[in-house]
Each structure stands twice: as C-alpha cells, then as structure tokens.
Amino acid sequence: MSWAQSVTQCVQSGGMLASVEDLAESNFLVEHADLYTSKTSGFWIGIYRNVNGQLLWQDKSAVDFVNWGEGQPSEDQLDYCVELSAFSGYWSILPCSSQKGFICKKLKIHPLLFALCLFTDAKKDKARGDMNMWLLLTLVLIILLGMGFTIYFLFKIKTQSETEREERRHSTLLEYSRDLTGKDDETDSTNNKEKNEHSVV
C-alpha cells in the first residue's frame, strides 16, 4: 500500500502509523517485522514533515529518536515518506506512492485512566445488572400471578361444572322420585276410590 492508504487503514482501525520513540521500540518492531520479510522489505512508519519543515510523528509528538540508514535523508528527498527496513530497522526515504507494508499503533492509555475507565464501565454494568435483575424479578412475578389466576379460574370452572352436574343429577333424581311417589299416590287414591265404591254398593 502507499503511505496515504496505510494512514487511512490505520485510522479506520482506531490507530495511526507507528511512531518509534527509542531504540528498544525500534528493535521490537524489527523483531516482529522480520516475520513478514517474505512479503515486503519495509514498512511505512508515521513520521512526516509539517509545513514548517519540522519532522513530527502522526500523533503530533516530536521526533526525539531517529534511526536513519546511511546517507538518509538527503536534502532533495525531504518531501518523501519514511519506511522502516524489515531487515535492519534503519529508516529510509521513499516516494510516498511506493507499495510497502505498514505498522499501526494505537494510543497508550495511562494505567490510572484505564483503571478509571474500567471502574466507570463496571459501575454502569452493575447499574444495568441491577436494573435487569429488577426487570427479571417483575417479569417472574407477573408470570407467577398469571399462572395463579389461571389455575384458580380453571379450578373454579371445574368445581362449578361438577356442582351443576350434581345439581342436575339431584334434580333428575328428585323428579324421578316425585314421579314414583305421584304414581303411588295415584294408585292409593284409585284403590281408595274402589274401596269406597264397594262400600257404597
């Protein structure tokens, strides 16, 4: 990728082209860059020259450490871009349109700031967790109440049906009993009539 494309890729991933602050960081980058020497001979780093001609890193920090290769940079190449050699770790000037690999670097977060962010996020998560717990408990309570009312009404309907059936059966037995009793009364009254008629004659 060209230098400009590399900058864009780094920014899209939340970082910027790497700044090299000291020899230890340079050695670290070379050690890891060595794994990719089969794909590229060098990597773009985030050094550039501002309008005043001053070298700066992409994160706007001053260039306090340099690791230029022999004869670099020449005065006629000051508007070119800088690559880190994957083999030696030295820097060299190349046309910005050259196709190279690139190394992105994300901003450092101070440990106290990082801990504060984690603590703040933990508080938010705890608040969300408490809210979720109450919502869950409310939902469970509503479900249990719904189930309780459903069971109550089903039981009530069942007992009403049984009561109505029992009343109908009792009513039917009562009617049958009256029918039987009524026939007995009729038979008795018929017999009494006959007796009365015999006695009259």
Side-chain angles (χ1 to χ4, degrees), residues 175-189:
E175 285 177 26
Y176 182 70
S177 168
R178 281 187 197 147
D179 285 346
L180 287 177
T181 319
K183 284 183 183 177
D184 286 344
D185 288 344
E186 283 179 20
T187 309
D188 287 344
S189 66

Side-chain angles (χ1 to χ4, degrees), residues 6-140:
S6 300
V7 169
T8 302
Q9 283 291 321
C10 285
V11 169
Q12 286 176 348
S13 68
M16 55 191 64
L17 281 176
S19 57
V20 185
E21 298 173 9
D22 54 33
L23 185 60
E25 189 171 15
S26 180
N27 291 337
F28 173 82
L29 292 174
V30 170
E31 182 181 315
H32 288 85
D34 190 39
L35 300 171
Y36 301 97
T37 54
S38 63
K39 295 180 181 179
T40 184
S41 61
F43 296 89
W44 293 123
I45 56 176
I47 198 169
Y48 75 99
R49 190 172 300 278
N50 68 6
V51 291
N52 300 330
Q54 181 184 13
L55 287 175
L56 292 174
W57 291 109
Q58 208 182 0
D59 63 4
K60 308 288 188 238
S61 61
V63 178
D64 294 329
F65 169 80
V66 292
N67 197 20
W68 295 112
E70 195 173 319
Q72 295 287 332
S74 65
E75 291 299 318
D76 60 336
Q77 295 179 321
L78 291 178
D79 59 339
Y80 282 38
C81 296
V82 179
E83 84 157 331
L84 170 83
S85 170
F87 301 106
S88 66
Y90 291 116
W91 303 352
S92 57
I93 300 290
L94 290 176
C96 295
S97 60
S98 300
Q99 300 297 303
K100 294 291 177 182
F102 58 96
I103 302 170
C104 295
K105 184 178 188 180
K106 292 193 176 184
L107 294 176
K108 292 180 184 177
I109 297 178
H110 191 277
L112 289 176
L113 182 60
F114 182 69
L116 179 63
C117 290
L118 284 178
F119 181 71
T120 304
D121 287 345
K123 272 187 162 180
K124 288 178 187 173
D125 288 344
K126 186 179 183 313
R128 278 189 219 118
D130 289 347
M131 182 119 157
N132 288 341
M133 183 186 68
W134 284 111
L135 287 173
L136 182 64
L137 284 174
T138 304
L139 183 63
V140 167

